[in-house]
Amino acid sequence: MSVDKDTVRKVAHLARIAVPEDRLETLAGELNGILAWIEQLNEVDVENVEAMSSTVEVALPMREDDLADGPTGGGQSDRVVANAPRTEDNFFVVPKVVE
Amino acid sequence: MTAIENFTLAALLDALKTKKISALEATDAYLERVDRSGALNAFVTPTAEHAREMAKASDARIATGNAGPLEGAPLGIKDLFCTEKVSSTAGSRILQGFQPPYESTVTANLWRDGAVMLGKLNMDEFAMGSSNETSFFGAVVNPWRRNGDDAPLTPGGSSGGSAAAMAARLCAATTGTDTGGSIRQPASVTGTVGLKPTYGRCSRWGIVAFASSLDQAGPITQDVRDAAIMLRSMAGHDPKDSTSIDTPVPDYEAVLGQSVKGLRIGIPKEYRLDGMPEEIEKLWSKGADWLRDAGCEIVDISLPMTKYALPVYYIVAPAEASSNLARYDGVKYGHRADEFSDIVSMYQNSRAEGFGEEVKRRVLIGTYVLSAGYYDAYYLRAQKVRKKIFDEFNDAFNSVDLILTPSTPSAAFGLGEKTADPVQMYLNDVFTVTGNLAGLPGGSVPAGLDGQGLPLGLQLLARPFDEETLLKGMFALEQSAGFTTRPTDWWAV
């Protein structure tokens, strides 16, 4: 499988990264280089092998559904938005999304 | 008084405890070195004032007999760790100016134990790189140079700032993180000790996420004892990280010097690569001889899945990264583009301006392998091969206690030498990446110099949560290698 300019354009859109038209060809070349190298995985027999997403084989821990104290707790909207590029009354400000 | 650069962390802690030196004196002495080290570009944010305040508080605790295990030790922190109200950038433009309102668990543990923060250390952008050249803040320069040659060399990556700062003795110890080798590879090419603990040993909470199933924090230090001291403070269960394991943290230092007699050491034949420098191969055999002389049994083993580890990594890590990095959208924190016409172009332009080329490449690869139609062919297949690698290590550890390999396929290379071809750069992690995929603890110990006078490391891998055997083995290697060479202070102005 190899990617062409159109695929790079599509993937860049999915990833929400603006890529200028004159960079698409170069990027396609770079991605193809990486993908060609990755494709050696096709040699491996993975029949009946379970897919592994984590090396930690424990069930995810459960906790009480309580509001935590400290940095993961609530009631601190001012700290939550402290690093935002634009805010108003502790809300994030973004361009209009609903007409 | 002994010059500050001649203290190990352990020796400094002793001197602080016995009041031969104060925390403020030690801190000022390191800050003076940091101040002169601009040529290395190891620090992105020195925090001198903050450090002096912390040192004064340490001196007060020492005076009243309330010293913690790391009391007064001046440390450098990789800029991937969120530090409260102190700039934390992950080496990226997109996080320029970000001041976390909270502290990462690992750094909080270090401050709990009395350590002092000298500042934040340079790194590859979002920890994606093996040479520190992808940092928005510029490459770090290795304090080591080839004999009779001034050409600047890479300190490795992604924890390049940590490794360079350690090699140049700009701090008593440093923290790093390791997703595919980012602690062990830079340690190897800077003549320092790097320890990647078992996945789940150190909390990932507050560490900027790259590939969540692989990321793990650990120390880069001058020697193995210092790594053991640092790990004891960094490690521990944290309910805020659901993959953090609730198992006691032993006194790692206590095992150092214990006999390694009878330990079975595996030598995996697949780590013998075509075209690998002969001196690395020789050093590897020497390492096996040292351990044999110390009473270990050397066992030839086979790990046939090894060659597939890097390709698996370059599917799994970018896939996880593309998802983790979706949060950088110009809304909640970080860089927002000035020019855009609607919300989608705001995202696109902010991310295009905020991310560097390597990060973009990996986000695109990750997005591609997770996209409809390719998920099974790439991502699912990679997860299955990962399982085979994991099982293969499990089997190997039924018959051996430790696995000995070279840490890197080459010594430090020149800045700019490998930037043209991404795949060539990726190959630097060929010996370390398996440990991340299988979640194993691993450590690199400086073991010798190559023909050009550059340091080379040897790596040991151990069973999950057996950092004690790992450290015992690393200490034995260190004793036999007797590596004492240090780079000169050519960089000091």
Side-chain angles (χ1 to χ4, degrees):
Chain A
M1 283 170 269
S2 76
V3 299
D4 55 16
K5 262 172 78 169
D6 287 339
T7 314
V8 177
R9 194 184 291 110
K10 187 180 144 220
V11 172
H13 178 73
L14 289 173
R16 299 290 186 270
I17 297 176
V19 177
E21 200 57 31
D22 61 3
R23 280 279 300 153
L24 290 172
E25 199 70 62
T26 320
L27 261 174
E30 287 172 0
L31 299 191
N32 280 327
I34 298 168
L35 291 169
W37 172 68
I38 282 171
E39 267 160 28
Q40 46 178 308
L41 293 183
N42 292 334
E43 303 161 19
V44 184
D45 178 9
V46 292
E47 198 72 27
N48 299 320
V49 180
E50 191 190 329
M52 188 173 93
S53 56
S54 172
T55 58
V56 173
E57 288 181 78
V58 292
L60 280 179
M62 305 290 277
R63 62 165 176 82
E64 291 303 315
D65 189 18
D66 293 334
L67 191 58
D69 288 328
T72 56
Q76 39 188 339
S77 46
D78 53 331
R79 296 177 72 214
V80 171
V81 303
N83 280 285
R86 265 196 75 189
T87 62
E88 234 175 86
D89 301 329
N90 291 346
F91 288 96
F92 298 119
V93 176
V94 297
K96 196 170 173 184
V97 285
V98 184
E99 291 302 328
Chain B
M1 196 189 84
T2 316
I4 199 73
E5 62 269 28
N6 295 326
F7 279 102
T8 60
L9 171 64
L12 182 64
L13 288 170
D14 280 343
L16 285 161
K17 212 177 295 166
T18 53
K19 301 190 178 123
K20 291 196 179 82
I21 184 171
S22 72
L24 190 59
E25 286 167 336
T27 299
D28 279 337
Y30 277 120
L31 286 172
E32 197 242 345
R33 287 181 74 77
V34 172
D35 217 33
R36 298 164 64 200
S37 70
L40 299 177
N41 200 25
F43 275 78
V44 285
T45 311
T47 54
E49 241 173 83
H50 188 76
R52 302 186 83 243
E53 288 310 311
M54 288 179 96
K56 283 180 204 162
S58 278
D59 282 328
R61 283 191 294 270
I62 292 168
T64 54
N66 292 312
L70 288 176
E71 200 65 65
L75 307 181
I77 303 297
K78 186 178 185 181
D79 212 20
L80 201 63
F81 293 84
C82 285
T83 43
E84 192 174 354
K85 296 187 193 121
V86 174
S87 163
S88 304
T89 67
S92 182
R93 182 185 182 197
I94 212 157
L95 276 174
Q96 210 177 9
F98 176 60
Q99 296 195 348
Y102 51 83
E103 187 77 29
S104 84
T105 299
V106 164
T107 49
N109 290 348
L110 294 169
W111 317 143
R112 172 203 67 203
D113 285 354
V116 168
M117 178 166 79
L118 292 170
K120 303 298 288 290
L121 297 165
N122 204 346
M123 53 178 286
D124 278 299
E125 185 178 10
F126 285 106
M128 298 180 192
S130 304
S131 65
N132 219 109
E133 291 167 290
T134 73
S135 169
F136 175 64
F137 303 99
V140 175
V141 177
N142 195 331
W144 291 84
R145 289 169 160 181
R146 294 178 184 121
N147 290 334
D149 183 352
D150 288 350
L153 305 178
T154 167
S158 67
S159 311
S162 308
M166 198 65 265
R169 304 293 190 262
L170 305 181
C171 349
T174 65
T175 65
T177 62
D178 190 314
T179 302
S182 285
I183 286 175
R184 292 159 289 161
Q185 183 257 8
S188 176
V189 300
T190 56
T192 56
V193 169
L195 174 61
K196 181 202 94 76
T198 311
Y199 182 79
R201 180 71 288 188
C202 293
S203 170
R204 292 182 293 109
W205 195 80
I207 299 173
V208 174
F210 162 15
S212 302
S213 79
L214 304 163
D215 298 343
Q216 186 58 205
I220 294 181
T221 56
Q222 295 175 46
D223 64 16
V224 176
R225 183 173 301 280
D226 289 358
I229 294 170
M230 283 288 286
L231 182 60
R232 190 185 182 186
S233 288
M234 294 170 76
H237 178 239
D238 177 13
K240 295 201 289 296
D241 172 2
S242 61
T243 59
S244 157
I245 302 295
D246 193 0
T247 175
V249 179
D251 178 1
Y252 296 113
E253 201 186 347
V255 305
L256 304 182
Q258 283 179 9
S259 169
V260 292
K261 211 168 161 186
L263 283 184
R264 291 169 64 90
I265 312 290
I267 308 288
K269 67 167 189 247
E270 289 79 6
Y271 283 61
R272 194 157 283 120
L273 299 182
D274 290 340
M276 185 161 79
E278 201 185 320
E279 39 204 351
I280 291 184
E281 197 149 343
K282 270 195 189 143
L283 189 70
W284 189 16
S285 317
K286 218 191 235 175
D289 291 343
W290 289 333
L291 291 173
R292 188 185 289 111
D293 292 345
C296 298
E297 188 185 338
I298 306 299
V299 185
D300 287 323
I301 60 169
S302 174
L303 297 166
M305 282 290 127
T306 300
K307 64 181 276 211
Y308 302 111
L310 269 175
V312 167
Y313 177 84
Y314 277 96
I315 292 175
V316 171
E320 294 186 17
S322 70
S323 159
N324 274 326
L325 270 55
R327 71 190 70 180
Y328 305 102
D329 56 3
V331 174
K332 303 182 289 295
Y333 32 69
H335 177 74
R336 178 186 287 198
D338 289 330
E339 311 266 326
F340 51 85
S341 51
D342 56 11
I343 192 152
V344 173
S345 64
M346 186 197 79
Y347 296 148
Q348 290 175 327
N349 295 349
S350 301
R351 289 161 67 79
E353 292 171 10
F355 293 148
E357 292 311 311
E358 179 62 19
V359 171
K360 285 181 196 169
R361 254 194 306 268
R362 295 206 201 179
V363 169
L364 293 177
I365 287 277
T367 306
Y368 179 71
V369 299
L370 290 176
S371 65
Y374 299 103
Y375 183 90
D376 287 2
Y378 288 111
Y379 187 63
L380 203 63
R381 174 167 282 269
Q383 286 189 311
K384 289 177 177 179
V385 181
R386 182 177 181 185
K387 178 74 165 72
K388 291 188 88 155
I389 293 169
F390 179 79
D391 289 345
E392 193 171 90
F393 272 107
N394 269 345
D395 287 348
F397 281 119
N398 283 330
S399 59
V400 298
D401 300 296
L402 291 169
I403 293 173
L404 177 72
T405 78
S407 301
T408 50
S410 75
F413 49 90
L415 290 174
E417 241 170 57
K418 293 193 183 179
T419 42
D421 179 359
V423 173
Q424 281 310 306
M425 186 66 88
Y426 298 169
L427 295 176
N428 277 293
D429 293 333
V430 63
F431 298 138
T432 48
V433 73
T434 49
N436 300 82
L437 291 172
L440 307 172
S444 176
V445 176
L449 295 174
D450 74 357
Q452 298 178 302
L454 296 177
L456 295 169
L458 287 174
Q459 173 182 240
L460 284 171
L461 294 167
R463 295 186 184 96
F465 293 97
D466 197 4
E467 278 82 2
E468 287 175 282
T469 304
L470 174 64
L471 283 159
K472 221 154 74 168
M474 287 168 69
F475 190 75
L477 275 182
E478 182 179 59
Q479 294 291 303
S480 305
F483 184 89
T484 53
T485 320
R486 292 222 313 245
T488 64
D489 287 355
W490 59 264
W491 43 267
V493 290

